[in-house]
Amino acid sequence: MNFRDWNEQQDLTQFLHHEARLLDEHRWDEWQKLFTPDGLYWVPLVHGQADHLNHASLFCEDALLRSMRARRLEQARAYSQQPPTRTVHVLGNIALESRDDDAGCTVRSTFLLLEWRKTEQRTFGGSVLHTLRRADDGWRIQTKRVDLVNCDAPHEALQVFL
């Protein structure tokens, strides 16, 4: 790995850690600004799901839907957030998958998410594929695909962003 590649890897790693911190701290507005205007947040319902258009998904959210969910999570009277859900994201195996000519790249990582709500603790894990575009002030998420290990299992209501 040459110096340029090492610097880019560090830059991408810091970006992903920053995103995780925003999610854990419920800084939804800042998190949403990490996306391109047409950015997509997608959590497939089954393993190996080819696309989000022809199949049901756990989540498939554009800017409007992400914003609506974030506003719901912030509502003082939202029963599902009394008390607010607490989370910790742990990232690993961050690797640059590919670069493209449009100042973008694809980054794969793994994650564990610990969620605490009321008296219950849940753990989620899987892999994430970020398609990123370079902007004037840093990276932006064009697509965030979260493949849960147990995506096809029954789940209690999923509230927070993975």
Side-chain angles (χ1 to χ4, degrees), residues 54-108:
N54 298 305
H55 305 279
S57 299
L58 291 171
F59 294 106
C60 186
E61 298 176 343
D62 60 9
L64 177 62
L65 291 174
R66 285 190 315 272
S67 177
M68 289 172 56
R69 183 148 57 113
R71 297 294 79 81
R72 190 178 72 244
L73 292 170
E74 291 174 339
Q75 281 292 322
R77 290 184 280 167
Y79 175 76
S80 69
Q81 291 302 296
Q82 300 304 319
T85 302
R86 292 180 285 190
T87 62
V88 174
H89 286 76
V90 179
L91 307 180
N93 301 331
I94 299 170
L96 179 63
E97 287 271 307
S98 65
R99 288 189 185 97
D100 66 29
D101 294 335
D102 297 328
C105 65
T106 303
V107 179
R108 183 175 303 276

Side-chain angles (χ1 to χ4, degrees), residues 5-162:
D5 290 342
W6 187 83
N7 279 339
E8 185 173 56
Q9 177 75 26
Q10 291 301 309
D11 188 36
L12 292 167
T13 298
Q14 288 303 310
F15 177 81
L16 296 185
H17 284 141
H18 176 67
E19 180 200 10
R21 183 175 180 181
L22 293 178
L23 290 171
D24 289 340
E25 294 177 357
H26 300 185
R27 292 161 56 188
W28 312 125
D29 290 337
E30 290 175 72
W31 178 68
Q32 294 209 72
K33 289 177 184 173
L34 296 180
F35 283 82
T36 61
D38 62 342
L40 182 71
Y41 172 76
W42 177 33
V43 183
L45 180 61
V46 297
H47 288 280
Q49 189 169 320
D51 64 66
H52 62 278
L53 298 174
N54 298 305
H55 305 279
S57 299
L58 291 171
F59 294 106
C60 186
E61 298 176 343
D62 60 9
L64 177 62
L65 291 174
R66 285 190 315 272
S67 177
M68 289 172 56
R69 183 148 57 113
R71 297 294 79 81
R72 190 178 72 244
L73 292 170
E74 291 174 339
Q75 281 292 322
R77 290 184 280 167
Y79 175 76
S80 69
Q81 291 302 296
Q82 300 304 319
T85 302
R86 292 180 285 190
T87 62
V88 174
H89 286 76
V90 179
L91 307 180
N93 301 331
I94 299 170
L96 179 63
E97 287 271 307
S98 65
R99 288 189 185 97
D100 66 29
D101 294 335
D102 297 328
C105 65
T106 303
V107 179
R108 183 175 303 276
S109 61
T110 56
F111 79 100
L112 287 173
L113 169 65
L114 179 64
E115 176 191 70
W116 175 259
R117 186 174 159 313
K118 293 195 179 194
T119 62
E120 293 191 30
Q121 181 171 292
R122 298 194 293 178
T123 304
F124 299 96
S127 64
V128 182
L129 193 67
H130 283 85
T131 304
L132 303 175
R133 296 283 169 245
R134 191 173 289 284
D136 292 338
D137 59 346
W139 293 105
R140 293 291 174 265
I141 303 167
Q142 183 173 357
T143 304
K144 179 179 180 178
R145 176 184 173 141
V146 179
D147 288 292
L148 289 172
V149 169
N150 63 339
C151 61
D152 46 3
H155 293 282
E156 291 287 326
L158 298 171
Q159 298 290 322
V160 296
F161 297 97
L162 303 169

